[in-house]
Amino acid sequence: MAYAAFRSIGAYVPEKILTNDDLSKMVDTSDEWITKRTGIKERHIAAENEFTSDLGVKAAQKALERSGIALEDIDLVVTATISPDYFCMPSTATIIANKLGIKGATAFDITAACTGFIYALSVAKAFIESGMKKNVLIVGAEKLSAITDYTDRGTCILFGDGAGAAVISATDNKEEAIIDVHTGADGEYADLLMTPNGGTGSAHDSLDAEAGTCFMQMKGNETFKVAVRTLTKDVKEILEDNNIKSEDIKHFIPHQANLRIIKAVGEALKMREDQVVITVEKYGNTSGASIPMAINDLYESGALEKGEIMLLDAFGGGLTWGSALVPFAPLK
Ligand code: ACO
């Protein structure tokens, strides 16, 4: 049987930075409020002519370069995004593959909001273990600024743009194998996080023709409570299922939504501060890109060790959730 190994990571953030002070000139808020309630200090914003696929391509180029796997050997490209270049079609994955020069590989998008990267990881694992594919490029890429309502202080302070990518490839060495990926969803809570306009489910008269876009809406406080509960339960389950103790994890890399959520989950799991990876202060919430961007920061700081088991965990619109136990298994 083939196993799936996590070979490499890459990330990209656009140049422009939007600080809390900048936001306080746009809506009734302050650096103090945003920092206290979210931990976020700044986020990156893509240029007008810079699309989600462009962010994804730059992250993927780094991941591919570091992977030791040739471009022509990539046989599946999966993109996790809720801010695709085009709604409906073509998928952002096909655009990314084309811009990278990958021809003929299977390519599709996943819509699982902030859990998108973990869903993509589960897809890569399943395709490789079934023998259908050998080398999978997964990309979490978001231009959330394009679907953010900058008149809504409850959401616009949270989100940023960016991308992260990883190469997952087949191995017969069980030591390198992705240990487990858990994913789940509950549509009963769909209305907590939505882009209500623009799809076939939206009432025609609710469409904002002037804005011509579909903005994210969120019931922040309710989302917060469900997030802490679900994330804690999910991580406990994956650790128990695999007989791994939380103290044996060097890096817990949760989705970066809010510092208070990350800390609450870390405390509930009795994690030491040095185990919990936090990047939310400089990127905000980048949804499907946040986990690979955080892994990339670890990698570039030199803290990510070959063979260490990363614990990933996410929660997002849908509602969706997921967790994963992933050994870092670079080829070079
Ligand atoms: N600046 C100043 N005041 C504000 C702001 C702001 N930016 N936003 C809200 N307020 C006010 C509210 O109006 C409210 O005022 P009131 O008491 O007079 O009514 C007060 O602050 C408290 O509002 P809450 O919404 O209860 O604030 P809370 O502490 O819950 O923080 C936040 C809001 C930051 C959004 C938080 O709820 C949160 O992070 N929620 C979870 C987000 C999340 O995890 N999302 C999941 C993934 S996202 C995805 O899938 C794409």
Side-chain angles (χ1 to χ4, degrees):
M1 179 191 153
Y3 299 106
F6 190 105
R7 297 299 188 198
S8 65
I9 189 74
Y12 170 77
V13 282
E15 219 171 284
K16 185 182 163 191
I17 290 175
L18 185 69
T19 65
N20 291 349
D21 284 335
D22 295 333
L23 279 165
S24 69
K25 293 179 190 115
M26 297 157 69
V27 287
D28 182 13
T29 190
S30 64
D31 174 45
E32 193 198 349
W33 193 95
I34 302 171
T35 306
K36 194 165 161 225
R37 299 288 179 121
T38 71
I40 301 166
K41 296 298 283 182
E42 57 188 38
R43 64 292 287 144
H44 291 247
I45 302 293
E48 211 171 311
N49 62 354
E50 197 175 26
F51 307 130
T52 296
S53 62
D54 298 318
L55 311 182
V57 163
K58 288 189 175 137
Q61 280 167 336
K62 277 198 190 161
L64 284 160
E65 248 171 60
R66 293 166 177 169
S67 72
I69 290 164
L71 196 66
E72 53 273 24
D73 291 332
I74 297 292
D75 48 12
L76 172 62
V77 179
V78 181
T79 299
T81 186
I82 51 165
S83 48
D85 283 15
Y86 304 100
F87 283 103
C88 306
M89 63 180 171
S91 70
T92 304
T94 60
I95 300 170
I96 289 175
N98 185 51
K99 285 181 178 172
L100 288 168
I102 296 172
K103 297 288 174 200
T106 306
F108 57 87
D109 288 356
I110 285 179
T111 308
C114 306
T115 319
F117 187 76
I118 293 182
Y119 269 56
L121 201 60
S122 75
V123 168
K125 181 174 184 287
F127 265 95
I128 289 172
E129 287 178 356
S130 70
M132 286 175 72
K133 302 290 179 190
K134 286 196 163 54
N135 298 297
V136 184
L137 171 67
I138 59 176
V139 184
E142 302 284 10
K143 184 176 178 176
L144 295 180
S145 57
I147 58 166
T148 297
D149 178 358
Y150 285 99
T151 63
D152 173 14
R153 68 177 181 172
T155 54
C156 74
I157 55 150
L158 298 173
F159 299 108
D161 300 338
V167 176
I168 317 295
S169 79
T171 180
D172 50 16
N173 178 359
K174 200 172 177 200
E175 301 263 293
E176 293 185 325
I178 294 175
I179 297 168
D180 200 1
V181 186
H182 282 191
T183 51
D186 188 349
E188 197 187 322
Y189 296 99
D191 68 333
L192 291 189
L193 274 154
M194 283 189 102
T195 51
N197 293 340
T200 59
S202 57
H204 189 260
D205 61 5
S206 77
L207 287 173
D208 187 347
E210 278 293 301
T213 188
C214 48
F215 291 138
M216 288 180 281
Q217 290 180 14
M218 180 175 65
K219 295 179 183 162
N221 203 280
E222 284 171 63
T223 307
F224 189 102
K225 287 174 200 152
V226 188
V228 174
R229 208 170 49 233
T230 310
L231 288 170
T232 308
K233 181 170 173 284
D234 200 31
V235 176
K236 278 186 179 158
E237 277 174 10
I238 200 166
L239 289 172
E240 269 167 33
D241 285 0
N242 294 284
N243 288 318
I244 294 177
K245 294 196 174 71
S246 64
E247 59 263 36
D248 297 334
I249 295 291
K250 191 173 172 212
H251 292 116
F252 169 46
I253 306 159
H255 166 54
Q256 306 287 314
N258 181 316
L259 186 62
R260 282 156 60 212
I261 296 180
I262 297 171
K263 287 204 162 157
V265 174
E267 276 165 26
L269 295 166
K270 300 189 170 56
M271 294 266 179
R272 298 182 313 273
E273 258 179 40
D274 63 285
Q275 290 175 285
V276 184
V277 176
I278 296 170
T279 59
V280 71
E281 74 283 1
K282 49 183 178 170
Y283 303 134
N285 180 348
T286 56
S287 192
S290 95
I291 288 181
M293 282 167 63
I295 299 174
N296 184 70
D297 268 25
L298 266 188
Y299 174 80
E300 290 189 351
S301 74
L304 190 62
E305 279 172 24
K306 184 174 180 168
E308 76 161 90
I309 298 167
M310 299 179 278
L311 171 61
L312 316 181
D313 191 23
F315 172 90
L319 293 178
T320 57
W321 59 86
S323 54
L325 286 164
V326 185
F328 181 52
L331 283 171
K332 54 178 191 180

